[in-house]
Amino acid sequence: MSWHPQYRSSKFRHVFGKPASKENCYDSVPITHSVHDNHFCAVNPHFIAVVTECAGGGAFLVIPLHQTGKLDPHYPKVCGHRGNVLDIKWNPFDDFQIASASEDATIKIWNIPKQLLSRNLTAYTKELVCHSRRVGLVEWHPTAANILFSAGYDYKVMVWNLDTKESVIMSPVKTIDCHQDVILSMSFNTNGSLLATTCKDRKIRVLDPRAGTILQEASYKGHRANKVLFLGNLKKLLSTGTSRWNNRQMALWDQDNLSVPLTEEDLDGSSGVLFPFYDADTNMLYVVGKGDGNIRYYEVSADKPHLNYLTEYRSYYPQKGIGVMPKRGLDVSTCEIFRFYKLITTKSLIEPVSMIVPRRSESYQEDIYPPTAGAQPSLTAREWLSGMNKGPVLVSLRPGSELLSPQPLPPERPLSNPMAAPSPRLLDQTGTLVVEDGQGPFALREEKAPRWAEHRLEEKKTWLTNGFDIFECPPPKTENELLQMFYRQQEEIRRLRELVTQREVQAKQLELEIKNLRMSSEWF
């Protein structure tokens, strides 16, 4: 019998958590005292939103990401709910739109102005009114624009189409009424064609979100689920909850067969809820416990053992809630693959924690940053409601890169021969990455463009300097684009300075050699 070592090779074995310095944290933030089991925090590349305390209703703060340090005690709030805010979520396709759910049984959609708030924001864009009891969860559809899901204490999941001119929407496009108790969590698969839920009856259900029918239901008695999460394109679910002996536990399930879990893992005997987060790009799973100071992380594989424990980030300060930065907001220059924002109520502090892959090279690391979901929807609300499924539009995290999913290209300049004018349709077929439903995560088109089109593309590539078009450079439209342009210029200046220094050293060496030659010639 051959012996196999227990260790396994992985590029993420040495991932470590790096907390931000004191000046890069958000201090004196009045974090909510609600006992609801939610994140209470939502983050995007521009803002961090935090549920806060407010007399006479519910409110949350929207702080620009760069505005670190001590918060003004009179900082303006986003307030308009008559009850406490229980959940907030940024629109994945609009960094200036956020949804909030409240105990007043309503959901409100807010447009955050691009300039800093000077007074409390009370004017919402839309109000969704149909739940009969408080609303505990909201979730945006991952690929379709203007589709929002909400779950209330009336045991109903409602599907809302926000692509209307009405400011008050009284009826959802679909009401899913198959739960017997309060819904605790919701999670979509990659293309949004399936919805997984956990309920207070401790059952996991996989639903068709358009039809509202139950496709799978777990009736396993050994695991009482609290939170559930789709694991990307692995066709698996991960749930966190408790075992028969009230130990905190994780369970991995086949999404097509929820009769028995594939594997179970007991963690400890604490009582705080476990929030799971999955990074489909790196196949890493992060488990954050409410009231814990640590963050455990694992690598998930399709083969046994499915969960491979890596290590954990430890801290003395317990978190009440947690926020996660989307992949497009990470700092790729430091090999950052995930970023948490811990809500520490004992210190009224929000502490960013970056998960970093240690690398010696300062160049862009292609292997740890595969194409990821961008900020552009792949479907309209009407297309998704009619039954279409599409994966997310992919982008590269390399600075200065363009969309990788097929998008209409601008018309090329006319050539001398009108018959040889390149068409956008042909240029769309030059190796663009797409995500097709049921064909794996990234399907690569096989068709090639004609040689003249390839020649035009190669000619255009020569115009790029450090991934930047020097002839057709559009002015920056957002603050994020301006910052990216500034960082590129700083990198170019640093590189040129190093080049000048090298040339100066070479010139001094040549001067010394000439001086030595002259002295030797004088001796002879």
Side-chain angles (χ1 to χ4, degrees), residues 2 9 46 49 84 136 145 288 293 306 308 310 323 350 401 416 422 457 500-501:
S2 61
S9 175
H46 292 90
N84 291 333
V288 182
H306 301 285
N308 302 285
L310 295 175
I350 303 175
S401 61
S416 57
L457 289 176
V500 169
T501 305

Side-chain angles (χ1 to χ4, degrees), residues 141-214:
H141 193 275
T143 61
N146 298 314
I147 294 291
L148 183 71
F149 282 67
S150 64
Y153 278 61
D154 51 5
Y155 312 159
K156 295 177 182 178
V157 176
M158 296 186 180
V159 187
W160 305 88
N161 180 10
L162 307 183
D163 192 13
T164 63
K165 295 181 179 180
E166 302 171 5
S167 59
V168 178
I169 304 176
M170 303 292 292
S171 58
V173 294
K174 182 68 182 178
T175 300
I176 302 172
D177 191 6
C178 60
H179 297 86
Q180 306 301 319
D181 212 322
V182 176
I183 298 147
L184 301 177
S185 72
M186 297 188 292
S187 176
F188 286 99
N189 64 342
T190 304
N191 62 9
S193 61
L194 297 175
L195 175 68
T197 64
T198 53
C199 186
K200 210 168 182 179
D201 60 9
R202 303 302 183 183
K203 290 184 179 180
I204 302 172
R205 295 173 176 87
V206 177
L207 312 172
D208 182 341
R210 281 175 289 234
T213 56
I214 300 176

Side-chain angles (χ1 to χ4, degrees), residues 32 34 51-60 78-88 100-108 110 127 134-135:
T32 180
S34 172
V51 179
T52 185
E53 290 296 315
C54 180
F60 59 95
V78 180
C79 48
H81 285 286
R82 297 184 300 276
N84 291 333
V85 175
L86 300 181
D87 197 14
I88 48 175
S100 61
S102 171
E103 288 183 349
D104 61 8
T106 66
I107 305 109
K108 288 181 169 58
W110 310 82
E127 185 179 31
R134 58 181 174 172
V135 185

Side-chain angles (χ1 to χ4, degrees), residues 390-454:
K390 278 187 181 179
V393 176
L394 302 179
V395 296
S396 172
L397 296 182
R398 181 187 291 274
S401 61
E402 299 294 332
L403 290 178
L404 296 178
S405 293
Q407 298 296 328
L409 298 179
E412 295 281 349
R413 296 185 182 89
L415 300 176
S416 57
N417 183 4
M419 295 300 292
S423 67
R425 181 176 176 273
L426 288 173
L427 293 180
D428 267 350
Q429 298 176 357
T430 56
T432 52
L433 283 173
V434 295
V435 179
E436 295 291 343
D437 183 30
Q439 293 185 3
F442 312 119
L444 190 63
R445 293 202 179 191
E446 299 292 338
E447 299 89 343
K448 290 186 176 180
R451 290 185 179 178
W452 49 264
E454 293 179 0

